[in-house]
Amino acid sequence: MSRNTRSKTSIKAINLVAQAVISALAITPLWLSAAEADNQTNESEIEVLTVTAQKRVQNILKVPVTVGTVTEDTIEESGSILLSDIDKFIPGFEFSDGNMTQAGVTMRGISSPNISVGGDPSSATFYDDIYMPRAAQNVIFSDMARVEVLKGPQGTLFGRNAAMGVVNMVPKSPFADFEGFVKATVGSDSLQRYEGMINVPITDNFYMRANVLTNSQDGIVENVAAPSWNDNNKIWDLGERDHNAARISFLWDISESTDFQISYDWDDLEQGPPMAVGMNQYAYDGGQNPFNSKAENDVREGVEARDMYGITAKLNHEFNDEWSMKYVLSFRDWETVNRQDEDGTANIRRYFDTSNNEDSDILYTELQFNYVSEKINAVAGFSYSKESVHQTTELNLTADTATTLITGELNGVIHGGVSEQISAMIGGDTDEHAEAAFGPGVTFDGAVDAFYTSFGFPMEHTWNPNEWANALNVLGFADPIMAAIGMPGQPLTGGVVSMTGDVTYDIVAAQMGFPEIFGPSFSGQWWQETVNNTGDFTNWGIYGDVDYALTDKWNIIGGLRYSKDEKDFTWHIPQNSFAAVRPGVNNLLFQPVNTSASDSWDQVTGRLVTSYQLTDDHMVFGSYSTGYKSGGFDSLTPSTESFEPEETTNYEFGYKGIIWEQVVANISVYYLELDNFQTSIDSKPPGQPQAVPTIINSDKELTGVEFDIRWLVNDSVTLGLVSEVRSTDTFSPDFYNGEGELISAQKTSTDASLNYTITIDWMPDFGVGTTNFHVDYVFVENDNAQLPGLEDYKKEVGAYFRDLKNLSARLSWTTDDDSIEIGVWGKNLMDQRHVLSIGGLTADVLGTPQGQINRGLEAGIDIKYSF
């Protein structure tokens, strides 16, 4: 795409944004008419939150940044324990955790590949002021104060890989009062969740806070596979969960101006591997119903596990009324295993599993200084991280499956040979030559296919004796083979093949110099290929951000950050394990290599923001900001060439305010350009027998509007609405999809699916205790049909294109002294079922697409005792 074309498109999109802003501002005076007469808000009517979105503690309605916040109360009322449980409350934000150790943030429709340890997500995740890389970012909620989600480039203040935004999780800190609670939740599918917390003042100035949470639940599909190789290993049902976490913190108030906190986090995950519901003819019951109550996943030693701990120290000091500082230092270490079924069947000739095993750690530190005066609120600092990564990607298949893949290669070779013979016979390979030789309407490809099938091809599997015998006769191997086994002149039949075992295979392998042809005596043996990666990643940055009050209503903010990334990366791909029993066999998927690469990137990013406080309760703002995500390396594709860093440029306008003393509104309009977007696709280029995850770069332009509105109807009823409207233009390069089809470079335009969340909180006064009824309804229009390069097998699964409709509710009652709370809850009350994903590495070559489905209706009860 030419620069001029991009420029014209950008101008058009900016004009659309400007029109939307003018429309929004045109109706703003109607909202403000009542407030201008009396701008003193009754704060008892509306709860106004404080956030740290700008590295400062601020009223959320005074922050000129598009930030969504989920409070402790919302987390409690919705029964949320993961980011995927709360994304529905924030427009433009999604969190996918079908694969817990490779979960992904989606911000304004932009998600990031997480399978590659050589890359990074486009949106940064922070927990307790600490950056969380890839496999570490999906932590379970336990005693969480709030979650903040900042949209748009946030690199100026948050630095590393915040090109699309930031997720900031804020756990509670120890304080001077004694308190605690224990809570039990039980529900559908044998859900058992137990949580406890205690906050203890050990001395007058030294406090401890500790919490623990354990969560387990049965799967939603019974796994009836009974493979012989899993006799001593647990066979997990699909969707089975088991996740535990604990945290202990100590806070020392050294003086009135200084405090020190140290925390230890522990996280243990060991549960069923990511779902692989077979949606193919080889799966359980023919794979006709993706919501069948049973499935067959025969993955050997299948599990998803993570053992992680983190230590964090924070020092805060106030020098005087104007100057203060904050220093954080953290070390986090994790080990993961994610061995999952890739075929969704128990068919030994289609067995294929992958495992991503990671052993990594990160050291993160940041020093921050704050200055506050009558006119200036400034922050400046330095951050540094050092990450050491080790990942082994395993591809495990049986010899039977390897032979299936080899059969496919042989079919291709034979088809090519038939094509060459016909071309030589008719004097060319055009449709005109075919018509002249075979009659009107006959194409060359059609003639080749007709001869190919007439010879009994393609073979389904070379270990099928009759198919193998037919192939040997067609290829001219029959007579030499019969002579070699002492039966000259006799016909080669399937019976002879069966009787001689591996002999015919070994003879052909020797004559062709192709040791990958081998006989059925190897059935059930394992073929493993591995890609071993190591990486040393260093990131540091220096930043400054100044908020200057031009008047008592008009502020301007300017900020800059210089970021530097350095990455050293290695690939070691050894010979496959099957070579130990079949010398000379080559790798089918990844060719052996031992290489390394290094690269570095640096960038200056910044922001310029202006805000105007129309009244105490109403603010409008506009911003220009840029973001940056470092380049990296594709862990599965050895190359000395790195992929390009991502760069974002964002224009945003917004309104925040309290209308009629009853409605809290956050509305933002934006236009964003994203260059060199790093996206992971399943790709099968020519000559490669298997689709593998591959990273490609594309450019995107986004235009959108986001709404977050909360209406206090009366003293007992609160309504909420979040929604967004978004349009995205994507400029993608040439690439091969998972079926080996070349998708040409193109521009595609998509609109965000219609989506909204409606919440209702009703607190009727029955005179005894406190009653609360919470309801949330989520609607997301399905837009999977808009995906570029959509494979045919996906089009055949109707439930993959079904709109999401999810109704959840919780009714709770709390005693007058807040000591006991009882809740009854339900999720997905309409029992809507959806296919969340479909595909897989073997979908095309083995004909085994598989995917994930959602959990149906859930219901349960929780009891909490506070002291």
Side-chain angles (χ1 to χ4, degrees):
M1 183 179 182
S2 71
R3 182 176 297 274
N4 288 337
T5 304
R6 281 290 300 277
S7 178
K8 291 178 181 178
T9 304
S10 301
I11 293 171
K12 179 181 178 181
I14 293 173
N15 288 337
L16 291 174
V17 173
Q19 292 173 17
V21 173
I22 292 170
S23 299
L25 294 181
I27 64 173
T28 298
L30 298 177
W31 294 349
L32 303 184
S33 58
E36 288 177 348
D38 179 7
N39 59 21
Q40 298 299 315
T41 300
N42 182 355
E43 295 191 0
S44 65
E45 298 289 334
I46 294 287
E47 178 187 7
V48 178
L49 305 174
T50 59
V51 294
T52 53
Q54 297 193 114
K55 298 283 187 178
R56 312 151 169 102
V57 178
Q58 294 174 296
N59 178 334
I60 191 172
L61 296 180
K62 310 294 184 184
V63 178
V65 174
T66 301
V67 53
T69 300
V70 179
T71 65
E72 175 189 5
D73 289 342
T74 301
I75 292 172
E76 175 91 6
E77 291 298 334
S78 61
S80 301
I81 60 171
L82 295 166
L83 286 171
S84 58
D85 296 326
I86 64 163
D87 58 0
K88 59 187 175 183
F89 300 118
I90 300 175
F93 170 58
E94 298 175 55
F95 192 85
S96 171
D97 65 356
N99 189 328
M100 285 286 294
T101 57
Q102 292 175 346
V105 172
T106 298
M107 204 78 77
R108 291 176 169 170
I110 303 299
S111 58
S112 302
N114 272 331
I115 193 171
S116 174
V117 294
D120 296 285
S122 299
S123 297
T125 300
F126 282 78
Y127 175 80
D128 198 19
D129 293 321
I130 302 302
Y131 176 76
M132 306 283 279
R134 300 165 312 277
Q137 65 184 348
N138 196 10
V139 295
I140 199 168
F141 292 168
S142 180
D143 199 30
M144 192 72 67
R146 65 183 181 275
V147 178
E148 303 169 0
V149 177
L150 294 74
K151 268 75 71 70
Q154 301 296 332
T156 304
L157 292 175
F158 286 89
R160 187 178 186 194
N161 302 320
M164 284 302 301
V166 168
V167 179
N168 186 30
M169 292 177 279
V170 184
K172 289 186 175 181
S173 296
F175 63 99
D177 296 332
F178 176 80
E179 69 171 16
F181 71 83
V182 290
K183 181 178 180 180
T185 302
V186 294
S188 306
D189 301 325
S190 301
L191 172 66
Q192 296 186 61
R193 183 181 303 157
Y194 304 105
E195 185 175 4
M197 183 279 297
I198 187 168
N199 190 96
V200 179
I202 298 175
T203 68
D204 289 343
N205 65 342
F206 189 67
Y207 328 116
M208 180 201 78
R209 190 178 186 95
N211 59 75
V212 62
L213 188 150
T214 176
N215 183 74
S216 64
Q217 191 171 21
D218 289 348
I220 57 177
V221 180
E222 181 185 0
N223 188 0
V224 297
S228 59
W229 49 74
N230 259 351
D231 287 345
N232 298 318
N233 296 282
K234 179 173 181 177
I235 298 178
W236 299 86
D237 289 336
L238 280 64
E240 194 166 351
R241 299 172 175 174
D242 194 347
H243 197 170
N244 308 295
R247 173 180 169 89
I248 185 169
S249 297
F250 297 93
L251 178 64
W252 178 22
D253 280 335
I254 301 173
S255 68
E256 291 184 357
S257 59
T258 307
D259 65 71
F260 174 76
Q261 179 177 326
I262 187 166
S263 306
Y264 176 83
D265 293 283
W266 170 80
D267 186 287
D268 179 71
L269 172 75
E270 185 173 0
Q271 61 184 27
M275 282 188 191
V277 177
M279 301 179 199
N280 60 79
Q281 61 179 313
Y282 307 103
Y284 180 83
D285 201 24
Q288 297 299 308
N289 178 15
F291 307 110
N292 205 315
S293 62
K294 297 180 180 180
E296 291 181 304
N297 280 188
D298 59 356
V299 56
R300 180 180 61 159
E301 300 177 4
V303 71
E304 182 172 25
R306 180 182 64 192
D307 185 6
M308 179 170 67
Y309 72 89
I311 302 173
T312 302
K314 297 196 289 187
L315 176 67
N316 294 283
H317 178 68
E318 295 181 0
F319 298 99
N320 51 45
D321 291 341
E322 295 180 335
W323 285 95
S324 63
M325 63 154 283
K326 180 179 184 178
Y327 177 69
V328 298
L329 175 66
S330 174
F331 178 80
R332 184 168 290 265
D333 180 274
W334 62 93
E335 296 182 25
T336 70
V337 177
N338 186 6
R339 190 181 307 279
Q340 64 186 80
D341 197 315
E342 293 287 352
D343 58 278
T345 78
N347 186 313
I348 194 172
R349 291 186 176 181
R350 283 162 178 80
Y351 180 97
F352 200 108
D353 81 59
T354 61
S355 185
N356 290 298
N357 313 321
E358 186 177 349
D359 182 0
S360 300
D361 59 68
I362 182 172
L363 173 74
Y364 180 86
T365 187
E366 182 171 358
L367 176 62
Q368 173 188 322
F369 291 95
N370 291 78
Y371 173 78
V372 179
S373 67
E374 183 179 350
K375 290 281 191 179
I376 296 174
N377 189 335
V379 59
F382 171 84
S383 65
Y384 172 86
S385 67
K386 180 72 172 179
E387 187 177 353
S388 175
V389 303
H390 301 78
Q391 176 175 281
T392 296
T393 302
E394 299 177 10
L395 303 174
N396 299 294
L397 51 156
T398 59
D400 313 64
T401 301
T403 300
T404 301
L405 297 175
I406 293 164
T407 302
E409 289 190 42
L410 287 174
N411 286 332
V413 171
I414 294 168
H415 189 276
V418 171
S419 178
E420 291 179 0
Q421 290 181 2
I422 293 177
S423 177
M425 181 177 67
I426 66 176
D429 60 0
T430 68
D431 291 344
E432 289 77 12
H433 288 97
E435 282 197 0
F438 304 116
V442 179
T443 65
F444 181 78
D445 289 342
V448 172
D449 290 341
F451 276 93
Y452 180 67
T453 55
S454 70
F455 291 143
F457 295 104
M459 292 181 287
E460 189 273 335
H461 201 276
T462 59
W463 289 356
N464 295 343
N466 291 330
E467 288 188 341
W468 181 238
N470 175 70
L472 296 179
N473 280 293
V474 171
L475 295 173
F477 284 108
D479 290 341
I481 288 176
M482 296 306 292
I485 64 175
M487 300 174 63
Q490 297 296 314
L492 176 57
T493 64
V496 173
V497 170
S498 298
M499 179 184 66
T500 56
D502 290 353
V503 171
T504 59
Y505 301 92
D506 291 340
I507 291 174
V508 173
Q511 291 186 358
M512 294 181 64
F514 193 43
E516 289 77 20
I517 296 176
F518 49 84
S521 69
F522 293 95
S523 177
Q525 298 198 39
W526 294 103
W527 181 305
Q528 181 185 82
E529 297 183 20
T530 62
V531 180
N532 303 283
N533 303 115
T534 65
D536 289 307
F537 305 155
T538 302
N539 168 271
W540 65 270
I542 185 168
Y543 63 93
D545 192 75
V546 179
D547 184 344
Y548 180 72
L550 296 172
T551 69
D552 59 347
K553 292 186 176 183
W554 185 15
N555 284 53
I556 187 167
I557 302 174
L560 288 174
R561 172 185 285 263
Y562 173 77
S563 297
K564 174 79 171 183
D565 283 276
E566 298 177 352
K567 291 188 177 183
D568 299 320
F569 203 69
T570 70
W571 298 262
H572 172 58
I573 305 177
Q575 190 177 31
N576 66 79
S577 64
F578 192 68
V581 296
R582 182 71 171 180
V585 294
N586 295 305
N587 288 9
L588 295 177
L589 307 173
F590 298 114
Q591 294 308 305
V593 70
N594 194 359
T595 189
S596 63
S598 299
D599 208 340
S600 63
W601 308 266
D602 64 339
Q603 186 83 337
V604 175
T605 57
R607 67 173 184 157
L608 182 63
V609 184
T610 184
S611 64
Y612 190 79
Q613 202 73 38
L614 299 168
T615 71
D616 285 348
D617 297 333
H618 305 277
M619 178 187 74
V620 292
F621 68 89
S623 69
Y624 166 82
S625 57
T626 60
Y628 154 80
K629 165 185 162 181
S630 70
F633 300 96
D634 191 335
S635 62
L636 300 182
T637 306
S639 173
T640 56
E641 297 293 326
S642 60
F643 46 77
E644 294 295 318
E646 292 181 4
E647 298 179 3
T648 54
T649 302
N650 188 60
Y651 304 88
E652 192 142 356
F653 303 90
Y655 163 80
K656 295 186 177 187
I658 301 176
I659 308 165
W660 306 311
E661 299 185 1
Q662 290 181 301
V663 178
V664 178
N666 289 271
I667 302 172
S668 60
V669 186
Y670 64 88
Y671 168 72
L672 183 143
E673 292 182 352
L674 171 57
D675 294 331
N676 297 319
F677 173 57
Q678 304 158 8
T679 185
S680 179
I681 62 169
D682 289 338
S683 179
K684 181 179 175 292
Q688 183 170 292
Q690 173 64 46
V692 297
T694 303
I695 292 176
I696 62 172
N697 290 102
S698 60
D699 296 333
K700 290 180 178 286
E701 295 176 357
L702 291 76
T703 306
V705 184
E706 294 173 348
F707 307 88
D708 187 347
I709 298 173
R710 186 160 50 97
W711 176 24
L712 183 63
V713 180
N714 54 45
D715 290 342
S716 62
V717 178
T718 302
L719 302 179
L721 171 67
V722 299
S723 185
E724 64 167 332
V725 178
R726 183 180 66 247
S727 177
T728 303
D729 292 334
T730 301
F731 308 90
S732 58
D734 294 338
F735 68 92
Y736 288 93
N737 67 10
E739 293 180 332
E741 178 186 1
L742 177 63
I743 307 300
S744 300
Q746 58 183 299
K747 171 189 173 182
T748 56
S749 297
T750 58
D751 295 326
S753 54
L754 172 65
N755 67 93
Y756 55 84
T757 299
I758 298 173
T759 60
I760 303 174
D761 285 278
W762 178 39
M763 298 182 65
D765 186 1
F766 294 117
V768 179
T770 302
T771 302
N772 187 56
F773 183 52
H774 169 86
V775 178
D776 58 68
Y777 175 75
V778 181
F779 176 85
V780 180
E781 182 184 22
N782 191 296
D783 62 356
N784 286 334
Q786 300 183 47
L787 296 173
L790 192 66
E791 293 87 351
D792 288 338
Y793 64 82
K794 294 180 180 178
K795 299 176 184 178
E796 297 174 359
V797 182
Y800 184 56
F801 303 93
R802 189 176 294 166
D803 294 339
L804 172 67
K805 302 173 183 178
N806 194 321
L807 176 66
S808 300
R810 180 175 183 262
L811 175 64
S812 63
W813 179 80
T814 307
T815 58
D816 288 328
D817 62 359
D818 293 332
S819 62
I820 298 176
E821 179 182 5
I822 301 174
V824 179
W825 54 268
K827 296 183 178 182
N828 193 8
L829 291 171
M830 297 187 296
D831 198 23
Q832 297 286 304
R833 305 306 303 275
H834 309 274
V835 172
L836 303 176
S837 65
I838 180 172
L841 302 180
T842 64
D844 180 63
V845 293
L846 297 178
T848 53
Q850 49 80 21
Q852 299 182 357
I853 61 175
N854 70 320
R855 194 176 287 266
L857 185 150
E858 295 181 77
I861 185 171
D862 57 69
I863 302 175
K864 181 178 181 181
Y865 173 66
S866 301
F867 52 88

